[in-house]
């Protein structure tokens, strides 16, 4: 009887159900990770579309807007590696759940902000929660999935990225135009609650049995270095400063010194937050270049494209979001295709060509004229979206594919850190170059044409891309002093000069972003090698 029992139908059914139940947790893990990451990426794309409204409602300058984005990116970048270590030590599920709670509280604070400084501080707090989630997301997947299922999981992760990018601008536009910019943060709350419920009830815990103590000195030195770097880059764009200003020079010098201290400490530390030994694998280095490059190029440039579409072309937030569908829609479909190809095509033949396609997309964006219609952007946005979709899914697997599952916390944390460093430095650098060029151009042409006391305020508004606002202010001031005709002439003058300066500056930073994308693509083709990947089941495709 004991030998016959395994063949009994009811017992077999019970055994199958039990087997399926054992398989369930990893798919719940995928659901929790995708829901959480969807919320994080949605928040980034939503914020971009709302920036001009935030700029107007909270009376913010361009540097203020840069801090709204960079405060979030900085706390993410600074905490990701430490969060990865804490996750390996205390449990990835636990850190992921804590991150969701902190992100929710930060979102509520952002939505309630009454001034731009409090909003930036709240964004930094939001980033603390985001760091805990980002650092553990890929590690949770890597520890839960092997073989063919791992490819499916990373494909779903990439598709989630595509969906978030696709609906973010439109949803952000609808919320901003229909309700208020505050709802771009409040919308996170229900998504957070769903992700938290799944995480606490269904996700299995995982650790790194060899995890050491967090590297607090490394965390402090790295955070200070990155903060000083971004502060210097943003200050360089202030109209009254520039790259040679003492504050800028000292900040950038301090960043270099602190970064050297951080690297030296990593060699000495018993449990470093960044295992520099990972850099011996060219594929891992290639993944870092890719993570930095995609953020510092197209995702940083997107901020200034949004400012152009709303503040120069005059479209609403929802109108801007709909027009960005050419980028986000193309990214969604390309990511879905790339996710299916990750198990069949060598990684570098997706990531490397993806950056080259991305670069071509930005070349197509170049050449905006003073009288250009928004339709000029369609080819470039579409091609760039395809490039993004080709890069993201395989990049997710590259982040953890070259290490064993028990080291995936640090590996994913390092890769995600470079994404955020790319955003922080890209936004700051492109913004400073943009503002400096606009300031130089309009100062020369407006000197003597407008009252001396109006020159600095008008220049600052134009440096932030606020062409319509600046022209209205100048027209109102001129009308009060010299009548309706004088007001109309002043509006036309500021509108023409401002549009020309903003368009020239935008073309300038488009070229820089395109060069960065092409350079990153070449580096990825050279550095990423399939032989560096650690097998997790079936052998990956040769290449």
């Amino acid at each position: 009887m004991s030998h016959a029992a395994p063949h009994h139908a009811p017992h077999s059914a019970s055994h199958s159900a039990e087997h399926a139940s054992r398989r369930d947790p990893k798919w719940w893990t995928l659901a929790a990770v995708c829901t959480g990451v969807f919320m994080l990426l949605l928040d980034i794309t939503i914020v971009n579309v709302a920036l001009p409204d935030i700029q107007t409602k909270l009376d913010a300058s361009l540097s203020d807007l840069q801090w709204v984005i960079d405060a979030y990116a900085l706390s993410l970048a600074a905490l990701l590696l430490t969060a990865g270590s804490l996750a390996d030590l205390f449990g990835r599920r636990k850190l992921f759940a804590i991150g969701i709670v902190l992100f929710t509280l930060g979102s509520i604070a952002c939505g309630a902000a009454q001034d731009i400084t409090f909003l930036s501080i709240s964004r930094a707090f939001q980033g603390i929660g985001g760091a805990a989630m980002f650092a553990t997301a890929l590690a949770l997947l890597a520890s839960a999935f092997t073989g063919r299922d791992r490819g499916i999981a990373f494909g779903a992760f990439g598709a989630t990225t595509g969906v978030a990018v696709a609906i973010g601008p439109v949803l952000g536009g609808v919320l901003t135009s229909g309700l208020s910019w505050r709802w771009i943060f409040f919308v996170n709350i229900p998504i957070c609650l769903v992700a938290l419920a799944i995480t606490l009830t269904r996700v299995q815990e995982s650790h790194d049995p060899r995890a050491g103590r967090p590297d607090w000195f490394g965390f402090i030195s790295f955070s200070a270095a990155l903060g000083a770097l971004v502060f210097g880059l943003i200050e360089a764009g202030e109209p009254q400063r520039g790259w040679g200003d003492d504050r800028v020079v000292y900040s950038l010098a301090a960043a270099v010194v602190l970064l050297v201290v951080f690297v030296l400490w990593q060699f000495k530390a018993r449990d470093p937050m960044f295992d520099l030994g990972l850099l011996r694998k060219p594929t891992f280095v290639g993944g870092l270049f890719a993570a930095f490059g995609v953020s510092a190029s197209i995702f940083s440039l997107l901020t200034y494209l949004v400012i152009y579409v709303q503040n120069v072309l005059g479209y609403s937030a929802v109108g801007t979001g709909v027009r960005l569908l050419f980028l986000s829609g193309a990214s969604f479909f390309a990511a879905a295709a790339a996710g299916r190809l990750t198990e069949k095509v060598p990684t570098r033949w997706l990531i490397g060509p993806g950056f080259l396609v991305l670069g071509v997309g930005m070349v197509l964006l170049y050449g905006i004229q003073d009288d250009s219609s928004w339709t000029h952007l369609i080819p470039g946005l579409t091609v760039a979206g395809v490039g993004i979709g080709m890069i993201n899914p395989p990049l997710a697997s590259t982040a953890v594919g070259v290490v064993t599952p028990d080291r995936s916390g640090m590996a994913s944390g390092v890769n995600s850190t470079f994404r955020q460093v790319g955003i922080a430095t890209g936004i700051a650098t492109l913004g400073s170059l943009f503002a400096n060029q606009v300031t130089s151009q309009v100062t020369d042409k407006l000197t003597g044409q407008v009252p001396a006391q109006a020159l600095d305020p008008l220049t600052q508004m134009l440096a932030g891309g606020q062409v319509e606002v600046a022209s209205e202010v100048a027209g109102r001031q001129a009308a009060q002093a010299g009548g309706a005709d004088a007001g109309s002439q002043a509006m036309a003058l500021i509108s023409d000069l401002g549009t020309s300066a903003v368009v020239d500056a935008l073309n300038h930073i488009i070229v820089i972003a395109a060069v960065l994308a092409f350079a990153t693509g070449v580096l990825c083709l050279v550095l990423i090698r399939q032989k560096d990947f650690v097998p997790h089941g079936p052998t990956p495709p040769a290449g």
Side-chain angles (χ1 to χ4, degrees):
M1 289 292 294
S2 62
H3 292 289
H7 301 286
H8 195 265
H11 186 83
S12 296
S14 171
H15 180 77
S16 298
E18 183 183 351
H19 181 68
S21 175
R22 285 201 302 267
R23 287 173 55 87
D24 275 348
K26 68 179 179 182
W27 300 109
W28 282 112
T29 299
L30 178 62
V33 167
C34 287
T35 304
V37 170
F38 174 81
M39 176 181 60
L40 296 172
L41 295 174
L42 185 69
D43 197 66
I44 293 170
T45 52
I46 278 182
V47 170
N48 270 330
V49 175
L51 285 175
D53 270 71
I54 293 172
Q55 188 176 30
T56 303
K57 297 296 192 323
L58 298 184
D59 192 25
S61 66
L62 181 65
S63 63
D64 291 331
L65 294 186
Q66 288 172 288
W67 278 116
V68 168
I69 300 173
D70 279 355
Y72 179 74
L74 274 174
S75 58
L76 268 173
L79 286 161
L80 271 168
L81 294 172
T82 300
S85 297
L86 291 171
D88 288 343
L89 184 64
F90 295 110
R92 293 159 185 161
R93 186 190 75 155
K94 183 182 295 183
L95 257 289
F96 193 75
I98 291 171
I100 294 172
V101 172
L102 295 178
F103 189 86
T104 307
L105 295 175
S107 297
I108 294 170
C110 286
Q114 298 301 310
D115 61 69
I116 197 68
T117 302
F118 186 81
L119 176 58
S120 294
I121 293 171
S122 301
R123 287 281 285 165
F125 185 81
Q126 203 182 23
I128 296 172
M133 296 167 69
F134 265 127
T136 50
L138 291 178
L140 282 170
L141 292 185
S143 61
F145 289 89
T146 58
R148 185 174 181 276
D149 286 345
R150 174 181 270 225
I152 295 172
F154 283 125
F157 183 90
T160 300
T161 300
V163 171
V165 171
I167 73 168
V170 177
L171 180 58
V174 169
L175 291 172
T176 302
S177 297
L179 295 170
S180 160
W181 63 266
R182 300 181 185 281
W183 282 92
I184 66 174
F185 299 110
F186 291 147
V187 75
N188 293 333
I189 298 171
I191 306 174
C192 284
L193 294 177
V194 170
L196 184 62
I198 296 173
T199 301
L200 293 178
T201 60
R202 297 291 185 176
V203 175
Q204 290 186 332
E205 189 60 279
S206 64
H207 302 77
D208 178 357
R210 300 173 300 174
R213 297 176 61 186
D215 177 12
W216 295 114
F217 183 80
F219 161 67
I220 293 169
S221 57
F222 181 75
S223 302
L226 192 55
L229 175 62
V230 171
F231 179 79
L233 291 174
I234 290 178
E235 285 293 297
E238 288 289 333
Q240 69 272 25
R241 299 197 187 282
W243 295 98
D245 183 81
D246 285 349
R247 182 184 293 190
V248 174
V249 172
Y250 292 149
S251 295
L252 297 180
V256 172
V257 171
L258 287 165
L259 193 58
V260 170
V261 169
F262 168 73
V263 171
L264 292 176
W265 174 257
Q266 296 309 286
F267 281 113
K268 179 183 177 182
R270 180 180 176 183
D271 296 305
M273 67 185 245
F274 184 175
D275 180 4
L276 297 176
L278 291 170
L279 299 179
R280 297 192 189 101
K281 289 197 172 184
T283 298
F284 186 78
V285 177
L288 298 186
F289 276 121
F292 178 89
V294 73
S295 293
S297 59
I298 186 61
F299 287 122
S300 296
L301 180 64
L302 193 59
T303 300
Y304 304 102
L305 287 173
V306 167
I307 288 173
Y308 165 72
V309 172
Q310 288 193 45
N311 288 347
V312 177
L313 297 184
Y315 289 101
S316 66
V318 68
T320 302
V322 169
R323 283 158 180 82
L324 289 180
L325 277 173
F326 285 96
L327 179 134
S328 52
S331 172
F332 170 71
F333 288 110
R340 288 194 295 269
L341 290 172
T342 51
E343 285 291 301
K344 301 174 183 177
V345 177
T347 303
R348 69 172 172 178
W349 294 117
L350 288 172
I351 295 179
F355 272 103
L356 302 182
V357 171
L358 178 60
V360 169
M362 286 186 283
V363 169
L364 293 173
L365 286 173
Y366 180 77
I368 301 170
Q369 302 296 320
D370 294 3
D371 58 352
S372 288
S373 162
W374 75 272
T375 54
H376 170 87
L377 304 176
I378 293 175
L381 290 175
T382 304
V383 174
V386 172
I388 293 169
M390 291 174 66
I391 293 165
N392 274 330
L395 180 55
S397 58
T398 301
V400 294
V402 296
V403 298
T404 53
D406 61 337
R407 301 295 291 156
S408 57
M410 175 180 288
S412 65
V414 171
N415 189 272
S416 296
T417 295
F418 271 70
R419 276 186 181 265
Q420 300 310 314
V421 170
I423 283 284
T425 57
I427 290 284
T429 304
L430 293 183
S432 290
L433 293 171
F434 178 91
N436 278 333
Q437 184 163 336
V438 172
T439 299
S440 174
Q441 194 165 323
V442 302
T443 301
D444 291 343
K445 293 182 178 178
L446 287 181
T447 302
Q449 300 251 33
V450 299
Q453 67 271 22
L455 181 61
D456 283 348
L458 287 174
T459 299
Q460 186 155 353
M461 282 185 275
L462 292 174
Q466 293 179 289
V467 176
E468 286 190 342
V469 174
S471 64
E472 288 171 4
V473 169
R476 190 163 53 247
Q477 292 174 345
Q480 290 170 352
D485 287 345
S488 297
Q489 290 173 5
M491 284 189 71
L493 172 68
I494 298 300
S495 181
D496 291 346
L497 289 180
T499 297
S500 180
V502 167
V503 163
D504 288 348
L506 184 58
N507 281 322
H508 180 62
I509 63 175
I510 286 172
V511 170
I512 293 170
V515 169
L516 177 59
F518 285 128
T520 304
V522 172
L523 286 170
C524 289
L525 286 172
V526 171
L527 291 170
I528 296 175
R529 310 177 304 180
Q530 211 66 21
K531 66 181 181 180
D532 288 339
F533 285 85
V534 176
H536 296 283
T539 305

